[in-house]
Amino acid sequence: GRAAGPDDVPRGPPAQHNDALPRRLRPTLPRDAGRRHVRRRRRGPVADRRGLAPRRVEAQGALVGVRRGDDGDRARGRRRAGGAGEGGGERPAVEQGFWRDVCGCYVSDEYDWMSCNASVLGLGLWPGGKRKTTAKPRDELRGRKQEHFAGHSIPLPPYVNLPSVQSIHDAASRFGLPLMLKSRKGAYDGRGNTVLKSTDDAAVSSALSDLGLTESDLPNDALYAEGWIDFRSEVAVMVVRSTTGETRAYPATTAIQTDSICRVVLVPARNVAPDVRERCESVAMAAVDCLGDGATGVFGVELFLVNKPGGGLDVLLNEVAPRPHNTGHYTQDACAVSQFENHLRAVCGLPLGDTGLVVGAAAMVNVLGAPSGGIEETMKGVNAAMTMPRTSVHWYGKGYRAGRKMGHINVTADSHAELDGPLSKLLAAESIDENVIPEDGRIGTNPLVGVIMGSQSDLPTMSDAVKILKEFGIPHEVDIVSAHRTPEKLMTYSRSAAGRGIQVIIAGAGGAAHLPGMVAAMTPLPVVGVPIKTSTLNGQDSLLSIVQMPRGVPVATVAIGNATNAGLLAVRSLCASRPGLRAKMEEYQLKMKEAVDANSSTLLELGCDEFLSMLPNKNKAVNV
């Protein structure tokens, strides 16, 4: 996001700015808050000349000034109960925890300057002296999420509360091992979770220690357990909910964790069928909507895709993070309106912006502090990204620490297939193993064009189409799919092709040649048919079978055996939205023109007889 400027500050009568705030909260802002800006400080309560100490709204976020209190007030972190008013009561605390509990949703690190007015609105302080909670506090969501969400029919993994050490043993007997233990509070970036693999006393004690808990904490509702989920992949959905109740979801993404820290996000969710992605988005919106009117702003919703025993996929809710989220950073470069802008729109009651993608695919890669070495090693991925097209670096400017999130890199492309090249280079620079990507969506497994044929005997002809695709650098796949001998495979391939990212299908068939037409009947993608020459009717039967399709089921049919044109037609279909590929096609056409011009010059120079004697093939049959 860009830095806010003077023109971005909400204008209006004084009642919409400082004068609308309760008297005890007015000192928390510089004078003329509607027009002045506070420079964000990333670390430390550095005092300015007015005696204000900038305080952090979020560990990543912008700071606003609050008047210094005595050390006792700060240490005790007193909080003012209830709403805002002019009367007595304790002064508001200035600790970060207070702002987190009041706000729940935070202002992002991506804005170098934030208007004071926007900061106030982000904290849920509204004109008229009313304080409004913009989201449920993080610990509250985690602490009671199961009971609340289960009561609203949100699908969840199996869970149980753990009020004692004995209950841990009972949970292990009930769900089996390993068992996921989760702390009610303090969960962030993998913290607050631990895996219990044994129920002996040492293992249980070690697990509690990892969570910062003791046995005496358990009766205070500090811990719960979830049954181990053998999920196919983890999906994340950013949801934004306005004060008006309007709710929108960003596209479902594949979220990839290493050591319980998000490292890579792929959007749209890779190799996940469109109907499953829509189901993920619906579950995420339902989870946020059921939080009630106080749930306002941006929420990161984490989900599991789990294979069902009888086939298909279940969508289960894992976590809800009430804030702009790491899994939504891709929205800065891949969506019309980022999660950060929509967060401000939501808490200000403005119409929510478009949450759709403006690119075909995108990836976000987190940059972590290098485990060995300093900032130079950490910068390897950043330096590599600066040489890549359609790549943006977002640097947080934090102090270096091993394993700390230092920034992120966004890469966009027209499709997952075209994203794979730069993504592979970026993962290598960041020392991330490509195998962290789910197996069915790994790099190199995302073709743009599918080349299929009814029999292996068709491959010599269809290889000409493959040759063209290789020449233009088009990711593709080649397979045998028989309309008559493998009808189930035909249906599965046709119906899943679009969801897998394929954009054009080339189908070759001979004889009855039903393959292209049947594929066209079951996919919304363009299908190019190649009639294979047969030994009986020289391919005329294949041609007539493919070209004579009924209205509403089109197949673009090329000449008998001319798979080269099928490959070129597929490339031209992709050219419509890819200027770089279109330039390659123009270059290909120019080379053909130059070849013909060269032959013309040679013929005019040598004459007909000598030129004919030089031809390697004097067959009178026309070869198309």
Side-chain angles (χ1 to χ4, degrees):
R2 63 178 177 84
D7 293 337
D8 297 317
V9 180
R11 310 284 183 181
Q16 294 182 357
H17 300 307
N18 278 0
D19 293 344
L21 300 177
R23 187 177 302 277
R24 290 182 177 272
L25 290 180
R26 290 178 198 172
T28 65
L29 297 173
R31 295 189 186 95
D32 194 14
R35 297 180 183 273
R36 294 185 64 85
H37 296 77
V38 177
R39 179 69 169 126
R40 181 191 55 175
R41 306 275 185 181
R42 292 182 177 85
R43 295 176 66 86
V46 181
D48 68 9
R49 63 186 178 184
R50 288 195 179 96
L52 298 178
R55 301 299 300 172
R56 196 179 292 271
V57 176
E58 182 211 351
Q60 288 184 333
L63 306 185
V64 295
V66 296
R67 188 169 299 282
R68 291 183 181 279
D70 63 89
D71 290 340
D73 279 343
R74 294 168 67 83
R76 287 189 293 273
R78 294 177 181 170
R79 302 180 182 181
R80 180 177 179 180
E86 297 290 335
E90 293 180 325
R91 63 179 296 168
V94 295
E95 297 303 326
Q96 178 183 340
F98 168 77
W99 295 117
R100 179 179 298 159
D101 288 348
V102 170
C103 172
C105 292
Y106 310 134
V107 178
S108 162
D109 184 56
E110 271 61 35
Y111 292 94
D112 284 338
W113 293 86
M114 291 298 300
S115 72
C116 293
N117 235 44
S119 296
V120 173
L121 290 173
L123 288 173
L125 304 178
W126 292 74
K130 297 179 180 179
R131 187 177 72 189
K132 203 164 190 175
T133 301
T134 59
K136 303 293 184 181
R138 180 190 301 165
D139 292 337
E140 180 185 334
L141 282 187
R142 202 175 207 228
R144 291 299 177 190
K145 70 162 191 176
Q146 296 92 346
E147 291 83 353
H148 180 85
F149 290 138
H152 288 81
S153 301
I154 306 298
L156 298 167
Y159 71 92
V160 65
N161 294 320
L162 302 176
S164 66
V165 170
Q166 180 57 46
S167 64
I168 297 176
H169 292 275
D170 295 341
S173 298
R174 177 179 173 184
F175 298 138
L177 294 174
L179 187 67
M180 178 63 75
L181 302 183
K182 293 189 174 184
S183 171
R184 295 287 191 188
K185 297 183 179 181
Y188 184 74
D189 270 353
R191 300 175 183 87
N193 299 336
T194 191
V195 179
L196 183 68
K197 298 180 179 179
S198 171
T199 54
D200 60 60
D201 293 343
V204 172
S205 178
S206 176
L208 293 177
S209 178
D210 290 343
L211 298 173
L213 300 174
T214 64
E215 185 175 346
S216 61
D217 295 320
L218 299 186
N220 298 323
D221 199 22
L223 186 67
Y224 67 98
E226 287 184 350
W228 191 258
I229 300 296
D230 186 16
F231 57 88
R232 170 183 158 182
S233 63
E234 186 172 345
V235 171
V237 179
M238 297 305 303
V239 176
V240 56
R241 191 173 191 272
S242 173
T243 58
T244 64
E246 180 186 6
T247 305
R248 291 191 180 188
Y250 284 89
T253 70
T254 297
I256 299 167
Q257 316 281 335
T258 61
D259 297 327
S260 298
I261 296 178
C262 179
R263 287 308 312 269
V264 182
V265 174
L266 304 173
V267 57
R270 185 166 284 206
N271 206 18
V272 176
D275 62 315
V276 178
R277 294 201 299 263
E278 291 174 7
R279 187 150 36 109
C280 291
E281 292 157 14
S282 296
V283 169
M285 285 193 292
V288 171
D289 277 335
C290 80
L291 297 176
D293 292 339
T296 304
V298 166
F299 296 75
V301 182
E302 299 173 359
L303 306 158
F304 290 134
L305 290 185
V306 182
N307 291 314
K308 294 194 292 188
L313 292 170
D314 269 335
V315 178
L316 302 179
L317 179 67
N318 178 30
E319 298 282 357
V320 176
R323 62 184 184 276
H325 197 258
N326 203 177
T327 57
H329 287 346
Y330 74 90
T331 62
Q332 292 172 286
D333 301 293
C335 295
V337 179
S338 75
Q339 63 168 339
F340 305 110
E341 179 179 338
N342 256 337
H343 176 60
L344 293 178
R345 289 192 188 203
V347 298
C348 292
L350 299 173
L352 298 181
D354 183 8
T355 56
L357 290 172
V358 294
V359 296
M364 188 282 299
V365 178
N366 269 326
V367 179
L368 304 185
S372 58
I375 194 66
E376 294 81 7
E377 187 176 349
T378 300
M379 292 291 289
K380 284 183 178 179
V382 172
N383 292 334
M386 289 181 177
T387 66
M388 298 179 186
R390 298 180 65 169
T391 302
S392 301
V393 176
H394 300 267
W395 191 250
Y396 303 153
K398 299 176 178 178
Y400 169 78
R401 187 175 70 238
R404 187 181 196 186
K405 290 180 180 176
M406 306 298 295
H408 65 272
I409 300 169
N410 288 339
V411 189
T412 64
D414 293 318
S415 67
H416 275 304
E418 293 152 295
L419 186 68
D420 279 353
L423 178 59
S424 178
K425 295 178 182 178
L426 195 55
L427 293 181
E430 280 293 306
S431 300
I432 302 173
D433 189 346
E434 291 183 5
N435 291 329
V436 300
I437 299 175
E439 185 175 359
D440 53 2
R442 285 183 182 162
I443 290 175
T445 63
N446 302 281
L448 272 180
V449 177
V451 180
I452 58 176
M453 61 209 78
S455 170
Q456 63 182 22
S457 61
D458 301 335
L459 185 57
T461 297
M462 299 302 292
S463 63
D464 289 341
V466 175
K467 185 177 180 180
I468 289 293
L469 297 175
K470 288 181 178 179
E471 181 176 346
F472 282 87
I474 305 298
H476 59 277
E477 66 181 12
V478 182
D479 199 2
I480 297 173
V481 181
S482 173
H484 303 114
R485 293 180 284 268
T486 59
E488 294 85 1
K489 182 177 181 179
L490 165 70
M491 290 187 287
T492 300
Y493 187 93
S494 303
R495 290 169 178 168
S496 67
R500 294 193 297 117
I502 291 177
Q503 297 188 11
V504 183
I505 297 175
I506 301 174
H514 290 157
L515 179 63
M518 291 303 298
V519 171
M522 291 183 283
T523 182
L525 301 176
V527 177
V528 182
V530 181
I532 303 296
K533 186 176 181 179
T534 57
S535 58
T536 51
L537 298 174
N538 292 321
Q540 293 190 45
D541 48 349
S542 313
L543 172 64
L544 294 175
S545 177
I546 296 173
V547 78
Q548 291 287 60
M549 291 298 297
R551 290 182 181 89
V553 189
V555 174
T557 311
V558 297
I560 296 171
N562 196 341
T564 296
N565 271 2
L568 290 170
L569 191 54
V571 174
R572 290 193 178 198
S573 297
L574 299 173
C575 280
S577 59
R578 295 169 173 82
L581 187 59
R582 190 159 57 244
K584 286 184 178 182
M585 178 57 71
E586 291 170 352
E587 183 180 348
Y588 179 87
Q589 292 175 299
L590 180 60
K591 287 180 179 179
M592 288 194 299
K593 173 185 177 300
E594 291 173 347
V596 173
D597 287 343
N599 287 334
S600 174
S601 298
T602 304
L603 176 59
L604 293 174
E605 180 182 348
L606 300 179
C608 176
D609 293 339
E610 186 174 351
F611 186 84
L612 181 61
S613 66
M614 293 171 54
L615 291 179
N617 181 7
K618 299 179 178 60
N619 193 326
K620 295 181 180 180
V622 176
N623 182 13
V624 297

